[in-house]
Amino acid sequence: MLKETNIKVITASGEKASFSLENLHNSLKNSGADEALINQIVDRVFDELYEGITTAEIYNRAFAILKSKESVFASRYKLKKAIYELGPTGFPFERFVGDILKYSGYTVTIGSIMQGVCVTHEIDVLAEKNGELNLIECKFHGQEGRNCNVKIPLYIQSRLLDVKGHWKTKKEAHKPLKTGWVVTNTRFTEDAISYGKCVGLYLLSWDYPKGDGLKDRIDRLGLYPITVSTLLSNREKQFLLSRDLVLCRQLMEDKFLLDHLGVSVARKKKILKEVQLLCGKC
């Protein structure tokens, strides 16, 4: 049974919230760690809690213990932070979203230019499945605490309507423009979700829809971004991202890029082992 605490913590947005040992336990469980290690970390964190501790401090402490035990556990645990590390631009995140959809059975095009009734629009991801097209806009945030408010889906909906208006006049219109999507690596406000439901936009965030959010899809498909690696340096990760290598599993196909980085044979073996454990049989 988990211990109880009334300690307030400071979230990434600067707000106070009650600390939940259950949430910590569940996030550690998702890393793949066994119950004994999870309880060890929970007990250690509990003993070190103090009023006003930040969630970042708690994360860093748990991450450090996980990394000292098993790097692959730490890699899974840092998934949310790893997606922030896809920045500073939003382009790697667009490719990441495109890859998730590709492995979900969609035909994907990144950065399409589409004509609207009034102006042209650059669409982050155009995804086709079962003869239907989906226009997907990605809203990447490089820092925690910055949620997508209702202005984002309002803006996306206006663009979608402009594109749809022109699409009806094209001979390709036999392929219906089914849905507009908004995908973010953070969260949507309640107003944003309400508006999306009202106008028929599909919203996808870190934990929304419940059970099918970004995190759930990544875990289910084993599509971890290369930035989760605890064995690659930041410089090496940026090099791989610059070569359009976004997924860990892509590194199994393009191992030669590690040679370009001058990675030693022994270290290369460790990195590839970590990747295999993360994504299963790539």
Side-chain angles (χ1 to χ4, degrees), residues 80-109:
K80 189 174 185 180
K81 185 178 180 183
I83 295 178
Y84 289 120
E85 292 174 2
L86 289 172
T89 70
F91 185 65
F93 181 63
E94 293 169 15
R95 295 198 65 86
F96 181 58
V97 170
D99 284 335
I100 289 175
L101 292 172
K102 184 174 71 173
Y103 282 95
S104 300
Y106 289 84
T107 300
V108 171
T109 306

Side-chain angles (χ1 to χ4, degrees), residues 8 11 66 87 103 156 176 188 202 216 224 226 246 253-255 258 269:
K8 297 291 185 181
T11 67
L66 273 177
Y103 282 95
I156 301 306
F188 292 105
Y202 184 79
D216 303 296
Y224 294 95
I226 195 66
V246 179
E253 301 166 6
D254 297 331
K255 302 181 184 73
L258 294 177
K269 187 176 180 180

Side-chain angles (χ1 to χ4, degrees), residues 214-225:
L214 203 54
K215 179 191 178 302
D216 303 296
R217 292 174 182 236
I218 293 167
D219 286 336
R220 187 165 61 240
L221 296 168
L223 298 178
Y224 294 95

Side-chain angles (χ1 to χ4, degrees), residues 90-278:
F91 185 65
F93 181 63
E94 293 169 15
R95 295 198 65 86
F96 181 58
V97 170
D99 284 335
I100 289 175
L101 292 172
K102 184 174 71 173
Y103 282 95
S104 300
Y106 289 84
T107 300
V108 171
T109 306
I110 307 295
S112 299
I113 303 298
M114 299 190 73
Q115 182 63 50
V117 173
C118 303
V119 294
T120 57
H121 302 270
E122 182 175 357
I123 307 301
D124 292 338
V125 182
L126 188 63
E128 181 180 350
K129 190 175 184 180
N130 299 325
E132 296 177 328
L133 294 173
N134 299 275
L135 276 61
I136 300 164
E137 288 296 301
C138 302
K139 290 301 169 185
F140 174 78
H141 294 293
Q143 294 179 329
E144 284 192 77
R146 296 185 61 190
N147 295 336
C148 286
N149 61 30
V150 71
K151 293 179 182 179
I152 302 299
L154 275 166
Y155 167 65
I156 301 306
Q157 177 68 0
S158 66
R159 297 184 69 200
L160 177 64
L161 292 175
D162 192 40
V163 170
K164 275 187 171 181
H166 182 264
W167 185 260
K168 293 174 184 177
T169 68
K170 292 168 61 70
K171 61 182 180 181
E172 294 94 335
H174 65 277
K175 291 183 180 179
L177 286 180
K178 184 184 179 185
T179 310
W181 292 35
V182 188
V183 183
T184 183
N185 60 313
T186 55
R187 291 185 169 94
F188 292 105
T189 63
E190 289 185 13
D191 280 351
I193 292 173
S194 296
Y195 178 79
K197 288 179 178 178
C198 182
V199 299
L201 281 175
Y202 184 79
L203 304 187
L204 177 64
S205 73
W206 173 250
D207 55 4
Y208 182 87
K210 187 176 181 180
D212 200 29
L214 203 54
K215 179 191 178 302
D216 303 296
R217 292 174 182 236
I218 293 167
D219 286 336
R220 187 165 61 240
L221 296 168
L223 298 178
Y224 294 95
I226 195 66
T227 44
V228 299
S229 174
T230 60
L231 301 179
L232 290 166
S233 69
N234 288 334
R235 181 187 69 83
E236 290 166 341
K237 291 173 186 176
Q238 287 304 314
F239 172 84
L240 295 172
L241 289 174
S242 72
R243 300 303 187 275
D244 292 336
L245 193 152
V246 179
L247 299 177
C248 282
R249 67 170 57 213
Q250 291 171 322
L251 190 58
M252 297 304 298
E253 301 166 6
D254 297 331
K255 302 181 184 73
F256 66 89
L257 288 173
L258 294 177
D259 297 328
H260 289 198
L261 283 163
V263 174
S264 68
V265 173
R267 187 161 167 263
K268 180 179 178 180
K269 187 176 180 180
K270 289 181 180 179
I271 291 168
L272 294 177
K273 180 182 178 182
E274 178 191 45
V275 168
Q276 282 184 316
L277 289 171
L278 279 169

